[in-house]
Amino acid sequence: KPGVYDLQIVVQNGDTKTVKDKQIVISNDFVNNILVTNSKENVAVGEDAVYNLLIVNPTNNVKIYKIVTDGNVLSSSQSIVAVPAGSSTNVKITGSANKQGKYTFNVNVFDGSTLAKTIPLEMDVTGNSSNNTIVVLTIVLAIIFLVLLVVLIVLLNKKPEKKEDFGESYY
């Protein structure tokens, strides 16, 4: 349990005895129990940026957190998170924008009614979309598939050369 404890260490042998006293403080709360794995994302217009928020509960009690996102650009996979004692929970924060530019916003995490942490996030939206690359690769793979299919059909329809059958031979 958290608190201030007196620690006494006694070391002795047949000839001597040594006693040391010390006070120690035990605390279960981490300073940084709310972490974000990626605070900056680069995405194309209309694509989703995904941020992972890790909430750690090092205590012996269940903790309940409320996630509040800034503006209408972000959304959270969970708005209320219950983190069991001695475990962690991952919350996905997603955001997207219809215009190019740099967007900054905050995610506020409340422990009960008190603000536990404010996490600043940044999203850089560009006009380049990876969807064009995916479409080009899909077309190239389709063409390769068709060429291989034609080669297979030609090979299956090709008749083997006829061999003469001499029958069985007896010696």
Side-chain angles (χ1 to χ4, degrees):
K1 291 185 176 182
V4 178
Y5 295 94
D6 291 322
L7 179 65
Q8 184 180 53
I9 299 175
V10 178
V11 178
Q12 67 182 19
N13 64 13
D15 297 329
T16 183
K17 179 179 180 180
T18 305
V19 178
K20 292 285 182 179
D21 292 320
K22 185 176 183 179
Q23 276 193 340
I24 59 171
V25 177
I26 304 293
S27 175
N28 283 339
D29 289 331
F30 281 142
V31 174
N32 290 324
N33 62 337
I34 301 169
L35 307 166
V36 65
T37 57
N38 51 336
S39 62
K40 292 183 181 181
E41 284 290 324
N42 296 323
V43 294
V45 173
E47 286 185 356
D48 286 342
V50 178
Y51 305 91
N52 293 312
L53 185 68
L54 181 66
I55 302 174
V56 180
N57 181 5
T59 65
N60 294 329
N61 301 319
V62 174
K63 286 199 165 206
I64 298 175
Y65 295 95
K66 183 178 179 184
I67 312 290
V68 179
T69 57
D70 238 7
N72 56 2
V73 175
L74 291 179
S75 65
S76 174
S77 63
Q78 300 168 320
S79 59
I80 306 258
V81 180
V83 183
S87 68
S88 63
T89 300
N90 191 19
V91 179
K92 290 190 187 258
I93 309 291
T94 56
S96 65
N98 295 328
K99 294 180 185 177
Q100 291 183 3
K102 258 189 180 173
Y103 296 89
T104 57
F105 30 81
N106 293 322
V107 174
N108 297 312
V109 181
F110 290 92
D111 183 3
S113 61
T114 60
L115 179 64
K117 190 166 188 179
T118 299
I119 300 166
L121 299 176
E122 187 175 316
M123 182 172 51
D124 190 11
V125 181
T126 60
N128 299 335
S129 176
S130 63
N131 290 338
N132 293 338
T133 308
I134 293 171
V135 169
V136 169
L137 287 175
T138 304
I139 292 171
V140 168
L141 288 175
I143 291 170
I144 292 172
F145 174 74
L146 289 175
V147 168
L148 289 175
L149 187 63
V150 168
V151 169
L152 180 66
I153 291 171
V154 167
L155 289 175
L156 288 176
N157 288 334
K158 186 176 177 186
K159 293 184 179 181
E161 293 180 18
K162 191 169 186 174
K163 290 182 177 179
E164 288 188 30
D165 189 16
F166 293 110
E168 293 182 27
S169 62
Y170 295 96
Y171 295 100

